[in-house]
Amino acid sequence: MRTDLYQGHDYLLMDELLTEEHRLIRDTARAWVKQEVSPIIEDAAERCEFPKHLLPGLGEIGAFGPYIPEEYGGAGLDQIAYGLIMQELERCDSGLRSTASVQSSLVMYPIWKYGSEEQKQKFLPKLATGEWMGCFGLTEPDHGSNPGGMTTHYKEDGDDIILNGAKMWISNAPFAQMAVVWAKNEEGRIHGVLVERGMEGFSTPTMKGKWSLRASDTGELIFDNVRVPKTNILPGRSGLGAPLSCLDSARYGIAWGAIGAALDCYDVGLRYAKERKQFGRPIAGFQLQQKKLAEAITEISKAQLMTLRIGQLRNEGRATSAQISMAKRNNVDMAIHIAREMRQVLGGMGIMNEYPIMRHMANLESVITYEGTHDIHLLITGFDITGENAFK
Amino acid sequence: MAMKFLVCISKAPDTTSRIAFTEGDTQFDANGVQFIVNPYDEWYALVRALELKEQHGGSVTTLTVGQADCDPVIRKALAIGADDAIRIDANPVDAMQVATLIAEQARQGAYDVILCGKETIDHNGSVVGGMLAELIDAPFISLATSLEVEGNTVKAKREASGGLEHVQAESPVVVSASKGMAEQRIPNMRGIMAARTKPLNVISAEESAQSASVAKFELPPAKGDCKIVSADEPEELVRLLREEAKIL
């Protein structure tokens, strides 16, 4: 069992821009992660198993839908509090943060924003505690960066719909009790459908063989003539904008989470450089190591400032999808670069599971790909600043 | 029996803080330092009081001598589960001043058990509890590693040289908490939300005389280099201990 020596790094005194409650929430999540997750995460990643026993604890620290109003079981917190929790979870493992991101931004968020009152009352309180887990079905085997081309569809049949199709790369799918599935109706319009485990024809096979996010469960969603009551269709919004708005929320959480992964790699690299001696002195005293460390804390500090600003804008309802894309793209790229650089600071020890860097590095290969690839986010920014659409 | 617990809470620098001094090494440099609830106050005294309240009923109030910069650690204590908090608005400068201010509130509140950590992890004075007990004329159990209540009787264990000492006293009593009395309790989101509306009563304090002041702080000497001596060379170890360390 590795002792988690992590301590936060706040080079620009960003804590002074947070509220007392933000800091308490952040420190609580950090303490819980150190106590409950750090001792078991390497083992879970090696065995490629999601540690399900953590779900009630994640609910207790508010990791599931913290911005959902209290009347639906949430904590009624702001976007910055949500981001700080995601940062602390991904500081330990991107897979852990993915589980919480999906539950919060991709399952609870659409039910809260677009669900009926009955749907909110039925699902949100159980999702907030982790008693029920959810997943989000948008990506398909042949439709990743182009979700609007999806083929999953349904036909009306009395008070029900009959759903057919398949979704792929779905976090939480193997154990989720329900799924928010995006499918086209007979007119080709995209709607959100709440599919519950146990509905006949609905299966969730696990995807095996991942070298990344090994402590998170990923699977497929297969719909073979699944009969779903019409009351399970999200009534509040339809069209591709509905799932994309969920992705805005998730990408915002990822932007914070990536800072967490970067902080952990930097923390490990800095401590190692100060302790490891070569040529009679700590390697932290050599210029090439200082370059890596100084660049890392500079990039982390820049990312912290950008992400906090977007959090402020989200609190005011003013953050745009393009701004969130910029933060997601920048921060994940920043984190993966720092992981690689800190791995080098550790020399050969950097590849060992005694340290978390290789796990972070492998995880971030997924994070830089899902929720909009690195390249796609560049095109979103490009579209935003030029007005020219490079997707078509 | 339901008891009224008063738990004395201090703020202390996080253990990973870089320690520095200003004004001719007479003042602690708090710039950039993260403050936490003093661990002996939080992990042991507060959590044990909450456990006893959960078993027997009663109430848990925290008390802090300090200025508004103490409010974050007080709010954490409320998030962990304390019912309400008192902050005596004064700059804590020495142990007698702090004990005197706490004593006034302890008398007014008629508490059954007053708990404090065995020491704060910054100044390591360990004397406020004893002073407080004397000031309110109550028994004092120091460095307790366990605490139980039966009726009006408070039972504690203390680590004595080579064994354990079982101590008991009738309430009201002052107890200083040592490692082992309870396990750390991490607040949950419900607790954090509830802490928003729990009472934090700020009481103004009269000026009190300072009986002792710090003339100078001094950092410990830097650690020397570690020398590794092979297990096959005991003679070399003896030579180093004799000629370099000069302890043989």
Side-chain angles (χ1 to χ4, degrees), chain A residues 258-292:
Chain A
I259 295 171
L263 279 166
D264 199 41
C265 293
Y266 170 74
D267 182 74
V268 169
L270 178 64
R271 187 175 300 107
Y272 189 88
K274 288 158 84 172
E275 291 172 357
R276 170 73 171 168
K277 289 183 180 174
Q278 288 290 279
F279 304 104
R281 62 187 298 202
I283 62 170
F286 294 114
Q287 289 184 359
L288 288 175
Q289 306 305 326
Q290 288 194 358
K291 176 179 186 290
K292 294 183 183 77

Side-chain angles (χ1 to χ4, degrees), chain A residues 65-93:
Chain A
Y67 46 71
I68 300 291
E70 292 180 48
E71 62 189 294
Y72 300 121
L77 300 175
D78 71 357
Q79 289 291 316
I80 294 169
Y82 169 58
L84 289 165
I85 296 171
M86 296 302 109
Q87 172 186 284
E88 293 306 314
L89 296 182
E90 192 149 2
R91 200 281 297 170
C92 185
D93 192 82

Side-chain angles (χ1 to χ4, degrees), chain A residues 7 15 20-21 24-25 28 31-32 35 60-62 70 73-75 77 85 277, chain B residues 16 31-32 34 71-72 75-76 79 184 186-190 192-193 195-196 225:
Chain A
Q7 59 188 84
D15 267 16
E20 180 187 308
E21 188 169 88
L24 179 55
I25 289 163
T28 295
W32 180 82
Q35 180 173 292
E60 286 200 358
I61 64 164
E70 292 180 48
L77 300 175
I85 296 171
K277 289 183 180 174
Chain B
T16 58
N31 189 36
Q34 299 285 331
D71 287 354
R75 200 61 72 182
K76 182 180 181 188
Q184 180 185 8
I186 297 171
N188 58 32
M189 189 54 67
R190 296 273 154 235
I192 293 171
M193 290 159 64
R196 292 173 184 164
D225 281 343

Side-chain angles (χ1 to χ4, degrees), chain B:
Chain B
M1 188 189 94
M3 283 191 160
K4 283 182 74 177
F5 293 90
L6 181 70
V7 182
C8 303
I9 298 283
S10 297
K11 73 178 171 68
D14 187 273
T15 49
T16 58
S17 302
R18 184 185 296 179
I19 303 299
F21 304 105
T22 60
E23 299 185 34
D25 289 340
T26 61
Q27 298 291 322
F28 174 63
D29 182 2
N31 189 36
V33 171
Q34 299 285 331
F35 284 92
I36 58 173
V37 184
N38 179 47
Y40 290 105
D41 303 343
E42 177 192 332
W43 297 0
Y44 311 124
L46 174 60
V47 174
R48 188 59 191 147
L50 292 170
E51 289 171 350
L52 290 169
K53 177 197 148 181
E54 286 156 10
Q55 286 174 26
H56 304 289
S59 63
V60 176
T61 300
T62 69
L63 188 152
T64 301
V65 178
Q67 295 168 325
D69 58 358
C70 292
D71 287 354
V73 300
I74 298 170
R75 200 61 72 182
K76 182 180 181 188
L78 292 170
I80 291 171
D83 298 297
D84 58 349
I86 299 167
R87 177 167 65 79
I88 303 175
D89 192 23
N91 183 27
V93 288
D94 74 29
M96 179 55 87
Q97 171 223 15
V98 170
T100 304
L101 291 169
I102 296 173
E104 179 64 23
Q105 288 302 315
R107 282 191 210 97
Q108 288 181 17
Y111 297 97
D112 300 299
V113 180
I114 302 170
L115 278 152
C116 54
K118 73 165 187 174
E119 62 186 2
T120 49
I121 61 166
D122 45 8
H123 294 284
N124 306 93
S126 298
V127 290
V128 167
M131 289 175 169
L132 171 63
E134 176 65 20
L135 288 167
I136 63 171
D137 195 23
F140 177 49
I141 303 173
S142 66
L143 307 173
T145 56
S146 77
L147 186 70
E148 300 292 343
V149 294
E150 287 180 20
N152 290 325
T153 305
V154 173
K155 296 183 174 182
K157 290 179 191 168
R158 305 177 67 252
E159 283 188 4
S161 180
L164 283 177
E165 189 174 76
H166 296 247
V167 185
Q168 65 183 54
E170 296 300 302
S171 65
V173 59
V174 179
V175 180
S176 82
S178 196
K179 185 177 179 181
M181 186 180 274
E183 295 286 332
Q184 180 185 8
R185 186 180 284 195
I186 297 171
N188 58 32
M189 189 54 67
R190 296 273 154 235
I192 293 171
M193 290 159 64
R196 292 173 184 164
T197 52
K198 286 180 178 176
L200 196 172
N201 303 308
V202 180
I203 295 169
S204 56
E206 291 180 14
E207 285 283 322
S208 54
Q210 186 172 353
S211 57
S213 60
V214 175
K216 187 183 178 186
F217 289 110
E218 200 173 324
L219 289 170
K223 282 183 187 169
D225 281 343
C226 179
K227 285 190 177 173
I228 308 292
V229 179
S230 165
D232 302 329
E233 301 176 42
E235 303 82 8
E236 174 65 4
L237 176 63
V238 171
R239 187 190 70 76
L240 289 168
L241 292 172
R242 180 176 292 141
E243 295 177 10
E244 291 196 12
K246 298 186 192 310
I247 58 172
L248 289 182

